[in-house]
Amino acid sequence: MHSYRPRSQVVSTTIDDESVLLHLEAQQYYSLNETGHRIWQLLTRGRDAGAIAAALAEEWALSETEALRHVRSFLQELEEANLVEETSGDKTV
């Protein structure tokens, strides 16, 4: 399974249950809703897509399959926006 981490050029802050991300090089900012915020939190703690999906499934009464589909889609969007980068799969969580 693919693992991702925030790019070093991205800084984030939390406002209530939302995250605001700033890509320093691109000079663009992004606002994440509650779900995106939670995924970002877990991602910054080194969790892979499967672990993030498992946490979301437990927290929000989703099936793990449905949660994983949403997590993968969101991570792909983050990657396309250059906010995360893929890491080697060596790390276990």
Side-chain angles (χ1 to χ4, degrees), residues 14-53:
T14 300
I15 302 170
D16 297 321
D17 286 335
E18 294 183 5
S19 288
V20 177
L21 312 179
L22 173 62
H23 191 295
L24 298 171
E25 282 183 6
Q27 297 182 347
Q28 292 184 313
Y29 74 92
Y30 303 83
S31 178
L32 306 180
N33 64 18
E34 183 180 357
T35 305
H37 166 73
R38 186 65 179 130
I39 292 171
W40 185 260
Q41 277 184 322
L42 294 167
L43 184 68
T44 61
R45 294 180 186 158
R47 307 282 171 84
D48 67 14
I52 294 170

